[in-house]
Amino acid sequence: MDLEDRELSPQNTEKLVQFQELSGIDDLDKCMEILERHNWDVETAIHDHLGLDPREMAQPAREMPVFPLQNGQPTVHRPLPQNPPRTQPVDSVIQRIMTYFFNPFLDDNTGLFPLPNQRPDGFTGWLFFLSSLPLRVVMVTFYHLTRFVFRIIRPENRPAVTDPTGNVISFIHEYNETFGDQHPTFYPGTYSQVLNEAKKDLKFLLAYLHCKDHQDTNKFCRQTLCNPQVIEFINSNCLMWACSVNSLEGYRVSQALRENTYPFLAIIVQREFRMTVVGRIEGFIEPDALVQRLRTTISDNEAFLVAARADREERSFNQALRLEQDEAYLESLRADQEKEEKKRRDRLLEEERLREIREMELAEERKKEEMIRRKQEAINLIPPEPAADESGICRILIRLPRGQKLERRFHRTIHTLKDLYYFILAHPDSPYQFEMATSFPKRTLPWQPDMDTYPTLAEVGLGASEALLVLDLDA
């Protein structure tokens, strides 16, 4: 799909590419649909797509990285900054301080009311909660004002991610040099790629965000991630992706996952046809406790993968069944078409044969009509028979093909072969086309209906008495 064809503004185009990179959705039309449903709010759209619970993210949202345009087209390929940010923004520092002190009482909007799972117990707890309410109002107001001022004075403008794969590979090398290669297998690709692979293979995804400046990071990496039990469990049950939040790719992912502290692990799985965060582990955790947390989360959400696999197998089976049915239908259709084509060819051949027969019959009828007309004309063209006592008389005995015998007298020097021909033709039993020949010695008389001049009987050698045979040329 061409982005320019959709007439997007540069700002919306940047948000579209940013959302696609964070969500791992390849279909730009689907990305646009999700963003339009959330009024082009990338952060809200990402939270909804990943199934993030807003109650788990008490702090206000940080700015999302912006994807610039290059030559009029969206791009994520720009030169990396010479000194990429290594420390958390001031806004994040203030936010984490507020979260540390007031997290037990913060909700997902104002920070004034406790979460359902953190409500005070007993009279003392509620008394403390109510008595501290004015202080919380003041602190939350101070927090928002401070955050607003810092954003004006020091806006946080991070460059676009230019080489997300390079960020991940660089972190893996740095991690191996610092902590050794005894750790779960880190996926050597971008966050979008590992999301797609987990979705395609229907596997759990364990995303690890690494902050080397945090006090618990070294302890977690050296005691927990290198534990053989942890390594075996993760490699057997999950895809694991890891990146440093000090890199642009890691920072961008942290905007989507909204971690509160480090080390941070997010368990992501396909749930109701979208990749959803189903578990969050924040802060240091012992190896046994980590395995237990992972096992519990995977066990609680395994049913979604089982359902997805069953649904995929059912779709695959239905697709194969439809394909088989379509092939059978097409084969039956081809057979029917071949039968119909054969019937059509046979029908055409039969019609052609009947047409030829009809034409032959019509030709034969026309021929008969023509011969009848000619026979009738021949009757009028027969000359009178001379008397028996006239001189130069030729008495001719004629035998027709069917055995009938004709006898007549002609003048040898006056009558021609044409007169003899008309006499034979006028007989009802004579053939339409014939030749005349003497019986002994047998010779054919030189007769053609279209001759210019017709020889007399004497000229063709007929004597006073002759016997002739009529030869049917149509037989």
Side-chain angles (χ1 to χ4, degrees):
M1 182 187 69
D2 191 350
L3 290 176
E4 294 182 354
D5 295 342
R6 302 299 296 269
E7 300 182 355
L8 294 178
S9 65
Q11 182 180 4
N12 286 349
T13 302
E14 294 170 2
K15 291 181 179 181
L16 175 62
V17 178
Q18 179 183 9
F19 177 77
Q20 186 187 28
E21 287 293 321
L22 287 171
S23 64
I25 300 176
D26 294 330
D27 190 345
L28 285 178
D29 288 331
K30 185 175 181 181
C31 291
M32 290 184 63
E33 179 183 351
I34 296 174
L35 285 171
E36 289 173 352
R37 192 164 62 243
H38 293 86
N39 296 322
W40 290 91
D41 188 333
V42 178
E43 183 175 353
T44 304
I46 284 294
H47 292 167
D48 180 68
H49 175 70
L50 293 178
L52 295 173
D53 188 347
R55 292 177 301 178
E56 297 179 353
M57 296 172 292
Q59 71 263 36
R62 290 172 284 180
E63 289 188 4
M64 304 290 285
V66 177
F67 291 80
L69 293 176
Q70 180 175 341
N71 297 327
Q73 296 293 331
T75 177
V76 292
H77 298 289
R78 291 275 184 154
L80 278 170
Q82 297 296 326
N83 297 310
R86 293 294 182 178
T87 59
Q88 295 297 315
V90 174
D91 180 51
S92 297
V93 173
I94 296 174
Q95 187 177 27
R96 296 183 190 285
I97 293 173
M98 292 291 297
T99 302
Y100 178 79
F101 285 104
F102 296 98
N103 189 57
F105 304 101
L106 294 177
D107 71 348
D108 56 339
N109 293 315
T110 64
L112 300 178
F113 301 100
L115 296 174
N117 60 348
Q118 295 176 339
R119 298 194 183 281
D121 295 328
F123 176 78
T124 304
W126 278 103
L127 180 62
F128 173 75
F129 167 71
L130 294 175
S131 61
S132 62
L133 183 58
L135 177 61
R136 288 201 305 276
V137 171
V138 173
M139 291 301 296
V140 168
T141 304
F142 172 75
Y143 160 71
H144 284 291
L145 288 176
T146 306
R147 180 168 175 257
F148 175 75
V149 171
F150 268 104
R151 283 197 172 185
I152 295 177
I153 298 175
R154 185 181 176 183
E156 185 181 352
N157 295 319
R158 290 211 174 198
V161 181
T162 58
D163 184 14
T165 303
N167 290 166
V168 176
I169 298 299
S170 176
F171 166 73
I172 294 175
H173 290 327
E174 182 180 348
Y175 186 96
N176 291 339
E177 291 176 358
T178 304
F179 303 106
D181 56 3
Q182 190 73 14
H183 57 77
T185 303
F186 295 154
Y187 183 86
T190 66
Y191 181 68
S192 299
Q193 291 172 344
V194 74
L195 272 178
N196 288 332
E197 184 159 339
K199 186 175 183 179
K200 180 185 68 175
D201 296 339
L202 293 178
K203 290 185 175 180
F204 284 90
L205 169 62
L206 183 62
Y208 168 57
L209 293 179
H210 179 92
C211 179
K212 69 177 184 179
D213 299 323
H214 195 277
Q215 59 184 3
D216 291 333
T217 298
N218 287 343
K219 181 180 179 182
F220 177 76
C221 295
R222 296 187 185 280
Q223 295 185 18
T224 303
L225 277 189
C226 65
N227 183 275
Q229 184 182 1
V230 172
I231 296 173
E232 180 181 0
F233 183 84
I234 293 177
N235 289 341
S236 301
N237 296 276
C238 310
L239 289 175
M240 186 168 184
W241 181 86
C243 194
S244 172
V245 294
N246 292 328
S247 69
L248 296 178
E249 172 72 353
Y251 173 76
R252 184 185 62 176
V253 175
S254 74
Q255 303 303 295
L257 298 181
R258 311 300 297 168
E259 74 283 1
N260 292 319
T261 186
Y262 301 98
F264 174 77
L265 293 168
I267 307 168
I268 305 171
V269 70
Q270 179 174 327
R271 184 172 178 175
E272 297 178 354
F273 303 103
R274 66 177 184 177
M275 299 302 289
T276 305
V277 177
V278 296
R280 302 165 64 88
I281 302 175
E282 298 179 274
F284 175 77
I285 186 172
E286 295 290 343
D288 293 341
L290 175 60
V291 171
Q292 183 59 37
R293 285 280 301 275
L294 292 177
R295 180 179 286 113
T296 300
T297 304
I298 290 175
S299 176
D300 292 342
N301 295 276
E302 182 69 25
F304 294 105
L305 288 186
V306 173
R309 292 189 187 101
D311 181 70
R312 182 175 295 181
E313 291 176 359
E314 183 179 359
R315 289 199 306 268
S316 178
F317 174 77
N318 291 337
Q319 183 178 3
L321 181 60
R322 285 195 300 269
L323 181 61
E324 183 179 350
Q325 291 174 344
D326 291 344
E327 290 178 352
Y329 170 75
L330 292 176
E331 183 65 26
S332 175
L333 182 61
R334 282 193 296 268
D336 292 341
Q337 290 175 344
E338 291 176 357
K339 290 179 181 179
E340 290 297 327
E341 180 65 19
K342 184 176 182 301
K343 289 181 180 179
R344 188 185 67 84
R345 290 196 301 266
D346 292 344
R347 184 172 60 255
L348 292 177
L349 291 175
E350 181 65 17
E351 291 176 355
E352 180 68 19
R353 187 182 68 84
L354 294 176
R355 185 181 62 81
E356 293 177 354
I357 293 175
R358 181 60 180 167
E359 290 178 354
M360 291 176 62
E361 291 176 349
L362 292 175
E364 188 67 21
E365 291 178 0
R366 288 193 296 268
K367 182 179 178 182
K368 288 180 179 181
E369 292 174 356
E370 176 66 18
M371 292 311 298
I372 291 173
R373 185 186 61 79
R374 289 179 62 190
K375 283 178 178 291
Q376 291 175 351
E377 292 178 354
I379 294 174
N380 299 325
L381 296 174
I382 298 173
E385 184 177 8
D389 55 354
E390 291 184 20
S391 62
I393 296 299
C394 176
R395 180 176 173 275
I396 300 176
L397 179 64
I398 303 169
R399 185 173 182 177
L400 298 177
R402 295 182 180 181
Q404 296 91 336
K405 293 180 180 182
L406 308 177
E407 186 177 353
R408 196 181 191 279
R409 293 182 301 276
F410 294 90
H411 277 288
R412 292 180 64 247
T413 58
I414 297 176
H415 296 150
T416 64
L417 285 179
K418 181 180 179 181
D419 299 326
L420 179 61
Y421 170 77
Y422 283 144
F423 172 73
I424 298 172
L425 181 62
H427 193 278
D429 294 331
S430 68
Y432 297 124
Q433 295 183 1
F434 57 87
E435 290 180 342
M436 297 172 290
T438 59
S439 59
F440 185 81
K442 187 174 183 180
R443 64 185 178 86
T444 303
L445 299 181
W447 159 255
Q448 291 295 334
D450 55 352
M451 295 174 67
D452 294 334
T453 59
Y454 299 97
T456 62
L457 299 181
E459 289 175 349
V460 296
L462 295 181
S465 179
E466 292 288 343
L468 299 180
L469 299 174
V470 176
L471 306 176
D472 189 357
L473 297 180
D474 294 331

